[in-house]
Amino acid sequence: MTSIATGDAAGTPAANPVAQTQKNGGPRALLHRIHVVAGILVAPLLVIAAITGVAYALAPSIEKVVYHEELTATSSLPAQPLEKQVEVAQRVHPDLPVTAVQVPEKPGQTTRVMFNDEQLKSESYRHAVFVDPGDLSIKGDLVQYGSSAALPLRAWISEGHRRLWIDSNFGRLYSETAASWMGALAIGGLWLWWDRSRRKRTQGTSKRAHHMRRHANVGVAVSVGLLFLTVTGLTWSWVAGTGIAKLRETMDWYAPKPAITATAPANYDWSEADSVMNLARAEGLSGKVELTPPEAGTVWMAKEAREEWRMGIETVTVDGSTGAMVDRIHFADWPLPAKLTEWLINAHMGILFGWVNQLVLALIGVALLAMIVRGYAMWFGRGRGGRPGRLPAPTRWRDIRPGVAAAVVALLIAYSVVAPLFGVTLVGFVIVDWVWRKLRRGCLLYTSDAADDSLRVD
């Protein structure tokens, strides 16, 4: 029986012939250990993100069923003037200001009259009163969230996916950590798969090998989707998202804003609304349009709302006192980065390509869950008696060529700058891993078979 340390020292060649054939080092060994250790520790966060993400992806379609009564106009009468629709909605919230009206284009849909309420959680939440434009009946009164017009169920799912229903930025740390590592694990897994294929290594016929093949094959198939979710998720995150927002502002990558300055004081009434909407429709605005009344010194704004299958947002501003158009912003005028941001965000929310978009996102989420299950099965498959197996052997930096080691460190630092929580947790994992190995070093005796298992890097 030979004593083998599980730390950096792997035993002498004379005492351990396995070490002669399986070198404890190299970039593959390093990447494999990071992939396994990080995968084990981050997997619980990814499970939560995947489950809530599947629900979030399907939420736009679920919403149509749950809130069918509020969304559907049953009257066959012609649409009444917007002034009258606003008037009946104000009876529901007589003490709240009307901030916008969301006007549908297709018959059979209700108009949403929006009210601000300081009692709600933030300015992103507004009351939406649903009015049948034909007979002016009130179809419902719900709280709506964000620019995607999410109703209560979808907003609740979104809160869980984004921050675990914790009303502070602390809750957002979970999703940002999960997103940061999901991309890193996807790239690392692709490299490991490519390296194994390049070396034509066989995986055997054991149950663990079966799980490894399935884990790798599914990972390769959905890798692009996982990277997409990482990029778009970090855009919305707390720490990384703040840095990305500053970069976008510095580079002027936001959508252009229309001129809204009025030539006369903003004395308006809702009788102007229909003429403003008619001008907006004449300018080509389609689908649901959000009409915002003037504030002091400004003019009316008509802006296309985010909807399924909408590839761009058009905006018109109108002086209600004269009926003249003040400005017109075409989506074609947006900077390319702003267009890409709009498309990517809408795709992440599952509304860019409708139900097709939602189905693809749900399948990616299910695939991620399956990969995590396979990953844990591989880990336990290396153990005995239903216990977890040993981790891949640690890497000695001296076994990695200096140029390769420098490149690895540079890549890790660069990604940590973009995704700071990745860097923070990576350092934490390294410290935990080091302490664990120090505690185990010299304390256990292994047979040569066990030593062979502890030194495996495949």
Side-chain angles (χ1 to χ4, degrees):
M1 184 174 291
T2 306
S3 177
I4 302 294
T6 60
D8 293 336
T12 63
N16 182 17
V18 176
Q20 296 177 345
T21 58
Q22 286 185 278
K23 189 176 181 181
N24 180 23
R28 177 180 173 79
L30 173 65
L31 186 58
H32 189 213
R33 188 171 179 89
I34 292 176
H35 189 79
V36 173
V37 174
I40 292 170
L41 297 177
V42 176
L45 300 182
L46 291 174
V47 167
I48 298 172
I51 293 174
T52 57
V54 170
Y56 181 67
L58 300 176
S61 292
I62 297 173
E63 185 177 72
K64 296 175 184 178
V65 177
V66 174
Y67 301 108
H68 177 76
E69 183 176 347
E70 289 84 356
L71 297 172
T72 304
T74 56
S75 173
S76 58
L77 298 173
Q80 298 289 319
L82 290 175
E83 180 183 15
K84 291 186 177 181
Q85 297 185 49
V86 171
E87 182 181 341
V88 297
Q90 286 179 311
R91 297 171 190 169
V92 179
H93 296 289
D95 299 326
L96 298 179
V98 178
T99 57
V101 177
Q102 295 179 351
V103 185
E105 183 177 29
K106 297 179 180 179
Q109 298 178 348
T110 50
T111 300
R112 303 189 195 188
V113 181
M114 312 303 299
F115 296 83
N116 271 3
D117 186 352
E118 295 180 355
Q119 302 301 315
L120 298 177
K121 288 195 294 185
S122 72
E123 294 181 354
S124 297
Y125 290 87
R126 296 183 292 177
H127 288 284
V129 176
F130 297 78
V131 181
D132 189 317
D135 61 11
L136 301 181
S137 59
I138 301 297
K139 293 295 186 177
D141 175 20
L142 300 171
V143 174
Q144 180 173 298
Y145 171 75
S147 60
S148 63
L151 297 179
L153 177 61
R154 180 152 61 108
W156 180 80
I157 294 173
S158 174
E159 282 292 295
H161 183 60
R162 187 185 185 197
R163 62 174 81 221
L164 277 180
W165 299 284
I166 299 174
D167 288 334
S168 70
N169 281 329
F170 179 79
R172 299 176 67 180
L173 296 178
Y174 117 83
S175 58
E176 183 168 352
T177 302
S180 300
W181 274 100
M182 182 166 61
L185 291 170
I187 293 174
L190 282 174
W191 192 91
L192 291 171
W193 169 81
W194 170 81
D195 186 65
R196 174 179 286 276
S197 301
R198 176 180 62 87
R199 293 186 295 126
K200 298 181 180 180
R201 294 293 302 271
T202 60
Q203 295 171 327
T205 58
S206 67
K207 185 175 293 186
R208 179 176 176 273
H210 170 74
H211 290 308
M212 183 182 293
R213 280 192 295 271
R214 293 296 180 88
H215 178 86
N217 292 339
V218 172
V220 172
V222 300
S223 58
V224 174
L226 296 177
L227 292 174
F228 157 77
L229 292 175
T230 291
V231 172
T232 52
L234 289 179
T235 301
W236 281 342
S237 65
W238 177 26
V239 182
T242 300
I244 294 172
K246 290 180 179 178
L247 175 64
R248 292 177 62 197
E249 184 176 358
T250 302
M251 303 299 293
D252 194 20
W253 286 348
Y254 284 100
K257 297 181 179 180
I260 58 173
T261 303
T263 56
N267 297 319
Y268 78 94
D269 59 64
W270 283 98
S271 62
E272 302 170 351
D274 283 292
S275 61
V276 174
M277 273 301 304
N278 290 337
L279 178 57
R281 295 295 188 195
E283 284 294 318
L285 273 63
S286 61
K288 183 168 65 176
V289 172
E290 177 161 311
L291 190 63
T292 304
E295 296 178 354
T298 67
V299 294
W300 290 85
M301 179 183 294
K303 183 178 181 179
E304 291 178 335
R306 280 178 172 165
E307 287 188 294
E308 295 179 351
W309 301 100
R310 186 188 291 286
M311 297 302 296
I313 292 178
E314 308 281 323
T315 306
V316 170
T317 54
V318 180
D319 190 330
S321 61
T322 63
M325 185 173 67
V326 176
D327 200 2
R328 173 75 159 88
I329 301 295
H330 296 273
F331 185 69
D333 298 329
W334 289 28
L336 179 59
K339 292 179 181 177
L340 292 174
T341 300
E342 179 71 15
W343 292 330
L344 293 174
I345 287 176
N346 289 348
H348 189 113
M349 292 191 297
I351 62 176
L352 184 62
F353 299 117
W355 67 268
V356 177
N357 194 162
Q358 296 160 31
L359 179 60
V360 170
L361 290 176
L363 290 176
I364 294 173
V366 172
L368 177 59
L369 289 171
M371 290 171 60
I372 293 171
V373 172
R374 298 283 185 184
Y376 275 116
M378 290 158 55
W379 183 34
F380 277 82
R382 296 186 68 169
R384 294 183 175 89
R387 297 190 302 272
R390 297 183 183 91
L391 299 174
T395 300
R396 297 176 302 196
W397 282 99
R398 64 176 176 269
D399 291 331
I400 304 178
R401 292 194 301 272
V404 175
V408 170
V409 172
L411 287 173
L412 292 176
I413 292 176
Y415 186 53
S416 297
V417 172
V418 177
L421 290 188
F422 167 83
V424 172
T425 50
L426 176 61
V427 172
F429 294 163
V430 169
I431 293 174
V432 170
D433 184 48
W434 181 84
V435 171
W436 174 250
R437 289 189 287 112
K438 292 299 181 183
L439 291 175
R440 288 177 59 92
R441 175 176 289 172
C443 297
L444 298 176
L445 296 176
Y446 301 105
T447 64
S448 59
D449 289 341
D452 179 48
D453 184 63
S454 70
L455 292 170
R456 290 178 60 178
V457 294
D458 287 324

